[in-house]
DNA sequence: TTGTAGGCGTTATCAT
DNA sequence: ATGATAACGCCTACAA
């Protein structure tokens, strides 16, 4: 295979110096129209493509924005990534993804890879990186953190309003008339899960309802854990008319358990999620849930990074959670 | 912000030449233990990280494998990507993703970006790139194409057995006793959709059943198109006892339409998908579908690229489709 | 406006 | 085994 042409090749072909070629490529300096035309002609005659690696070295910037995410096959992270992707599209910067697979060691490795690749900025989506590590990186380069709130780095964080969202969700069920409301928590080692749990508890208290431990089961954010948690709830044999799951995926799992046991949703049991994954609109019945604005968060994060890269304040918005009312909830009968 | 240390810095700190530092970094040449130790010490004293951009320029390879995909928030592509990701993990090569968003122009742009970034190999996931364009790239560098079959490039393609899978699916429904089987096709401008449609038709014919145009509705692979196609079928008022959708997503959509119309699945209507998205196991009821081995295909593609990169035959496997029988199908009543 | 001459951080080829 | 030295492809002062 012949080696791809370089600016020297097209310089020769166009009878100009390499610097002139570079100039028409970058537009940094005016170039005489005829020379410019010659260069352009040579460029597509030889099918020249600039080598971004070399350019990155020379310029000291890669035009890449690292996105530290957890998995390529997660709708949660996928919608965030899609937001980032679409906002960056057409611009000068491009996203480069690295996944942590929900494992700290892999996440650290992924971060290192991104840094070694000389990304110009970093968007961190959730994950378990220690606050200190994130602060350390943020001292070196523009960083935006989504779905977390790092003390001392608030301006660059786009946290999730877990507490507020869970409070609203629970309150909604209460207002429908439910009194025995179960909760399937997320992994309680993760702040989001705890905050949502707290929101659930507070909403109950504010309504003068007791918090009944037997109505609470711990999950792990996965569908399968939702299946199991719902099984636990059902087997306890305690009365309940609604289940509020810590995220949509666990709600799907719980839904499956209910289906297997012949429990009708929403007639026998209301079901509520958290996240508003795109697929929740197509669940059976469509899932009532807490909207998380993940796509929008991705867009905002991308915009924030671009602002940081141009030395402006990141100016991150905050998304107040709201409910997406669908057919999986109804008054108790 | 202080500039990150280079090998020169640690060379100075360790009283050796830059080349020696490079040697301990790459392990290309033996280095005296004490000098080696000094270098290593300096490396983590100064928190040195090799600059992969510079290394890429010098070595003439980026150690990156481009993955041309369509969307970051698609389970279909996500599971493929996850397979690639996991197989590459820990190895010398890393994936770099670029998305086409199902638009040819963006896909071409994405491909160019990958090439300009000097990826050492390319995995193309589905998409609409003209065969010629793919062949042209394949002439320049290792390429694996998943979910498509490019004439003249068969050894590097990992196609989907659409025809066979659809045939099996339809045959399964027939064997259950169904006679009036509807089909929601994918976008018929895409070969996969046509092949699945053909498989459906042939299975009917082989069973001595007529192909009834009024049982066929065209979709576009999306949930929403499934909703609409199912609506069309229902509104035609023709008798049917089963629906075979061209993919899982359209099956979800169809499921929603059936739900809205109070049609029970599988009691009143059997429903079948194609792809076996991970979420299909948690649908209500769990969806019977054609297993597509997307994760495995991703793994195989990654392995194929690595083999090509080391000048071996790609040696791609072929996955015979099989059925994943779940509760959304039953004999007609 | 244009060309020449470094330099970006690393690797690889030479000698030593 | 080790250290200069010359690339890698592009960019950017600096000169002209």
């Amino acid at each position: 295979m012949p080696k791809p042409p370089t600016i020297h090749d097209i310089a020769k072909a166009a009878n100009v110096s390499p610097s002139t070629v570079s100039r028409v490529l970058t537009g940094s300096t005016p170039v005489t129209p005829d020379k410019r035309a010659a260069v352009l002609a040579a460029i597509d005659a030889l099918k020249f493509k600039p080598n971004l690696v070399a350019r990155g070295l020379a310029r000291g910037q890669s035009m890449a924005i690292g996105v530290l995410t957890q998995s390529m096959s997660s709708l949660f992270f996928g919608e965030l990534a899609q937001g980032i992707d679409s906002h960056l599209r057409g611009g000068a910067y491009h996203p480069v993804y690295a996944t942590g697979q929900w494992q700290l060691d892999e996440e650290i490795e992924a971060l290192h890879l991104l840094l070694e690749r000389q990304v110009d900025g970093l968007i961190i989506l959730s994950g378990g990186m220690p606050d200190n590590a994130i602060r350390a990186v943020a001292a070196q380069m523009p960083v935006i953190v989504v779905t977390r709130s790092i003390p001392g780095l608030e301006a660059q964080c786009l946290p999730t309003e877990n507490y507020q969202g869970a409070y609203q969700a629970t309150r909604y069920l209460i207002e429908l008339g439910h009194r025995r409301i179960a909760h399937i928590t997320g992994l309680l080692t993760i702040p989001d899960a705890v905050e949502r749990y707290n929101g659930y508890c507070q909403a109950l208290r504010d309504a003068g309802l007791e918090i009944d431990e037997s109505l609470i089961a711990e999950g792990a954010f996965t569908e399968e854990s939702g299946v199991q948690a719902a099984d636990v709830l059902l087997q306890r044999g305690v009365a309940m008319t609604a289940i509020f799951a810590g995220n949509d995926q666990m709600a799907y799992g719980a839904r499956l358990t209910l289906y297997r046991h012949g429990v009708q949703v929403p007639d026998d049991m209301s079901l509520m999620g958290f996240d508003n994954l795109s697929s929740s609109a197509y669940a059976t019945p469509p899932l009532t849930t807490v909207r998380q604005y993940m796509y929008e968060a991705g867009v905002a994060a991308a915009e924030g990074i671009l602002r940081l890269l141009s030395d402006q304040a990141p100016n991150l918005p905050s998304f107040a959670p709201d409910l997406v009312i669908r057919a999986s909830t109804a008054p108790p009968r």
Side-chain angles (χ1 to χ4, degrees), chain A:
Chain A
M1 342 188 168
K3 301 208 330 185
T6 73
I7 50 171
H8 291 89
D9 298 323
I10 68 145
K12 218 161 297 174
N15 269 316
V16 297
S17 77
S19 20
T20 298
V21 177
S22 174
R23 289 191 254 266
V24 341
L25 245 31
T26 64
S28 59
T29 309
V31 170
T32 322
D34 57 330
K35 285 193 182 298
R36 180 186 168 73
V39 168
L40 256 20
I43 281 184
D44 68 43
L46 302 192
K47 295 193 203 316
F48 168 84
K49 299 271 169 239
N51 180 330
L52 294 189
V53 172
R55 174 177 289 177
L57 221 213
R59 292 221 269 234
Q61 49 178 36
S62 60
M63 307 313 281
I65 292 179
V67 180
L68 187 55
T69 179
Q70 293 302 319
S71 161
M72 298 300 296
S73 66
S74 152
L75 279 181
F76 182 86
F77 290 100
E79 292 185 16
L80 279 166
Q82 187 74 4
I84 294 171
D85 205 78
S86 72
H87 190 76
L88 256 29
R89 182 162 301 269
Y93 289 90
H94 310 283
V96 172
Y97 300 90
T99 61
Q101 307 293 341
W102 292 284
Q103 308 218 242
L104 186 52
D105 55 341
E106 301 202 2
E107 194 175 339
I108 291 175
E109 202 179 339
L111 173 61
H112 283 340
L113 179 63
L114 254 19
L115 296 181
E116 290 176 359
R117 278 202 183 293
Q118 311 294 118
V119 297
D120 297 331
L122 190 63
I123 297 177
I124 298 178
L125 304 181
S126 187
M129 286 279 294
D131 289 5
N132 281 334
I134 294 183
R135 275 188 289 258
V137 182
Q140 310 282 334
M141 71 168 75
V143 169
I144 295 284
V145 182
V146 182
T147 275
R148 289 181 60 174
S149 182
I150 312 292
L153 223 60
E154 286 79 5
Q156 300 166 52
C157 292
L158 192 50
T160 299
E161 300 293 346
N162 294 305
Y163 178 88
Q164 205 180 136
Y167 186 96
Q168 281 186 38
T170 309
R171 185 186 171 87
Y172 171 71
L173 290 170
I174 294 171
E175 286 174 350
L176 275 182
H178 294 277
R179 290 297 173 266
R180 304 280 304 166
I181 303 170
H183 180 43
I184 298 176
T185 73
L187 252 193
L188 289 176
T189 53
I190 293 188
D192 302 69
V194 176
E195 292 166 19
R196 292 174 196 185
Y197 170 70
N198 289 337
Y200 159 81
C201 291
Q202 191 58 45
L204 291 181
R205 278 194 221 98
D206 287 357
L209 296 173
E210 296 258 325
I211 290 161
D212 183 344
E213 299 261 334
S214 66
L215 286 177
I216 295 168
E218 184 172 354
F221 288 126
T222 65
E223 285 88 350
E224 195 50 40
S225 75
V227 170
Q228 292 166 7
D231 257 328
V232 166
L233 288 173
L234 252 37
Q235 278 166 19
R236 281 185 192 153
V238 297
M240 56 184 175
T241 62
I243 298 177
F244 167 43
N247 73 357
D248 282 1
Q249 294 183 67
M250 293 191 295
Y252 300 163
R255 175 73 187 90
L256 179 55
T257 293
L258 295 174
Y259 169 79
R260 287 175 178 162
H261 288 255
V263 179
Q264 299 292 319
V265 175
D267 308 300
D268 304 327
M269 187 82 72
S270 280
L271 182 60
M272 188 135 194
F274 197 118
D275 278 350
N276 190 32
L277 296 183
S278 54
S279 49
S280 293
Y282 295 95
T284 312
L287 186 66
T288 295
T289 184
V290 178
R291 174 175 288 136
Q292 268 268 54
Y293 297 100
M294 288 178 300
Y295 179 88
E296 288 80 358
V299 170
E303 185 169 348
I305 270 291
L306 294 183
R307 294 180 65 92
L308 284 176
L309 284 167
S310 52
D311 286 308
Q312 305 172 53
N315 228 338
L316 297 177
S318 75
F319 295 105
D322 60 3
L323 299 187
V324 182
I325 312 295
R326 289 195 279 243
S328 73
T329 48
R333 60 172 184 191

